[in-house]
Amino acid sequence: AVVSTQSTGRKISALTNVTPPKTVVLNHQSTFTINCLFLISLLVVFVFMGLIIFNFRPSTACGPFRGYTRFTDPFSTVVGQSVILKKYIVDNIKTTSVFVILVIIIGIVIYYYRSLAASRRVAIALLREQVKSEKAEKQILLDRVLDTTNKKERLFSVEEEGFAKSTRNKRERRTSKIL
């Protein structure tokens, strides 16, 4: 009776501890969402800072911007007083080619994040396959454990029956000798 209770406890323990989770946690979706949230937050902060810097009126009475109406005026005067090559460079920065380059850079960043998301999807699919194979291996091991415990129970039950028969036979012999 003690052996069957221990093996039953082992079976229950094995069944509860070896069972894999029903669903795989999709961590890549939350990471992508957080990255998008950070990117949007960064853009909002840049827009806010740009609005403050370019629309804020500096103090005209004191400070490094004395006599200027905006923060960008000193840069404009430096460029205006500089060599023709610098003026050419600054004028070209204001053209649409810079806008096109920025659009290309943003497109490359978007492509990078999309390819990163696609590679993570592939990794998740591979991990799911691995979890399925691990589950199958654990099930095979669990079946083996259950088979061995069933064999042991049968062996113990056969031994107990054999012991009971032998003691019964010994009693019968004793009683037959007495009679």
Side-chain angles (χ1 to χ4, degrees):
V2 174
V3 175
S4 63
T5 307
Q6 288 177 350
S7 62
T8 306
R10 287 182 193 155
K11 285 182 196 177
I12 292 171
S13 174
L15 287 173
T16 56
N17 294 331
V18 179
T19 306
K22 302 288 183 208
T23 59
V24 179
V25 177
L26 301 177
N27 192 21
H28 73 284
Q29 288 178 347
S30 62
T31 305
F32 179 73
T33 305
I34 288 176
N35 282 341
C36 288
L37 181 67
F38 285 157
L39 180 64
I40 291 169
S41 301
L42 182 68
L43 292 176
V44 167
V45 167
F46 281 162
V47 167
F48 181 70
M49 295 279 292
L51 288 173
I52 288 177
I53 288 172
F54 290 108
N55 290 331
F56 188 72
R57 305 271 183 217
S59 173
T60 56
C62 64
F65 298 103
R66 188 177 348 176
Y68 297 111
T69 57
R70 296 185 182 261
F71 284 109
T72 58
D73 287 344
F75 302 110
S76 299
T77 57
V78 168
V79 170
Q81 295 171 356
S82 64
V83 185
I84 296 172
L85 180 63
K86 290 182 184 177
K87 288 181 185 178
Y88 177 74
I89 291 171
V90 171
D91 287 340
N92 283 332
I93 288 175
K94 296 177 183 177
T95 62
T96 57
S97 61
V98 174
F99 177 73
V100 170
I101 290 172
L102 286 175
V103 168
I104 290 172
I105 289 172
I106 289 172
I108 289 171
V109 168
I110 289 171
Y111 174 76
Y112 169 74
Y113 277 111
R114 288 187 67 139
S115 64
L116 185 66
S119 66
R120 287 182 177 171
R121 279 189 219 111
V122 169
I124 292 297
L126 292 174
L127 287 172
R128 283 183 179 164
E129 289 295 323
Q130 184 178 1
V131 167
K132 286 178 185 177
S133 66
E134 287 290 328
K135 180 181 176 183
E137 288 177 16
K138 298 283 184 184
Q139 190 63 39
I140 291 170
L141 290 174
L142 189 60
D143 290 341
R144 285 185 185 171
V145 167
L146 292 175
D147 287 343
T148 56
T149 55
N150 288 339
K151 287 179 184 177
K152 285 181 182 177
E153 284 180 5
R154 280 187 254 136
L155 180 65
F156 284 128
S157 65
V158 168
E159 286 179 1
E160 287 175 1
E161 288 175 13
F163 179 74
K165 286 181 183 177
S166 66
T167 54
R168 203 174 328 136
N169 290 338
K170 287 180 184 176
R171 284 183 195 155
E172 289 176 1
R173 284 186 212 148
R174 286 182 196 158
T175 54
S176 64
K177 287 180 183 177
I178 295 174
L179 293 174

